Amino acid sequence: MSIGSKVRKYREAKGLSQEDLAFRLDVAQTTISSIESDKSVPNSILLNKIAQELDVNINDILDDSKTNINNVDKNEGIINVDTNIGTITMLSEKLIELYEQRIKDKDNEILFLKSIIENKK
């Protein structure tokens, strides 16, 4: 059973509509629809939130088979599914890269703000 099928199964068992789950997760209803129809796979952060909201263990949602991905949608926290691109391991690597870049950007912002403060003194 796919990740999307499992999300749908657990969501319906909990008596939630796609809109309800989307609202609780602060994502668009189309994000939930894309996940449940296997057009996209949630990233690890969103997957964890889904599992928590549905009161299931994240491992109950994960599929035993490899999931192929091609890119991360930063706005919705989903990964578009595309065959023969790579495995879910690429998600972790991409997330690490994104977070490392965010840290560098924030460090640069801090340095800039510190220079402004020093110039005001």
Side-chain angles (χ1 to χ4, degrees):
M1 184 180 281
S2 70
I3 291 172
S5 298
K6 289 179 182 182
V7 169
R8 174 179 282 131
K9 178 181 88 169
Y10 292 124
R11 175 184 57 76
E12 289 174 347
K14 190 125 167 116
L16 297 173
S17 67
Q18 287 183 349
E19 292 84 4
D20 294 333
L21 182 58
F23 178 78
R24 291 177 179 203
L25 298 171
D26 196 29
V27 297
Q29 177 272 329
T30 54
T31 300
I32 303 302
S33 176
S34 292
I35 291 168
E36 290 184 358
S37 62
D38 296 318
K39 292 179 183 171
S40 62
V41 177
N43 66 28
S44 58
I45 296 167
L46 182 56
L47 184 61
N48 188 48
K49 288 179 181 180
I50 290 169
Q52 288 177 348
E53 200 57 50
L54 298 177
D55 297 321
V56 296
N57 187 301
I58 196 168
N59 293 322
D60 294 335
I61 296 175
L62 290 174
D63 191 280
D64 293 333
S65 64
K66 292 182 179 180
T67 303
N68 297 312
I69 61 175
N70 67 355
N71 68 341
V72 174
D73 180 337
K74 296 175 191 174
N75 297 324
E76 293 291 353
I78 60 173
I79 299 169
N80 297 325
V81 175
D82 190 12
T83 56
N84 300 321
I85 299 298
T87 65
I88 199 72
T89 313
M90 292 172 61
L91 167 64
S92 297
E93 293 168 1
K94 185 64 177 172
L95 285 174
I96 290 168
E97 288 174 26
L98 290 171
Y99 285 118
E100 286 175 346
Q101 185 59 48
R102 284 184 185 175
I103 290 169
K104 286 179 186 176
D105 292 344
K106 294 298 177 189
D107 285 343
N108 288 335
E109 286 179 44
I110 290 169
L111 289 173
F112 176 73
L113 292 172
K114 281 182 177 180
S115 71
I116 290 173
I117 291 170
E118 288 298 318
N119 289 333
K120 298 276 183 184
K121 289 183 179 180

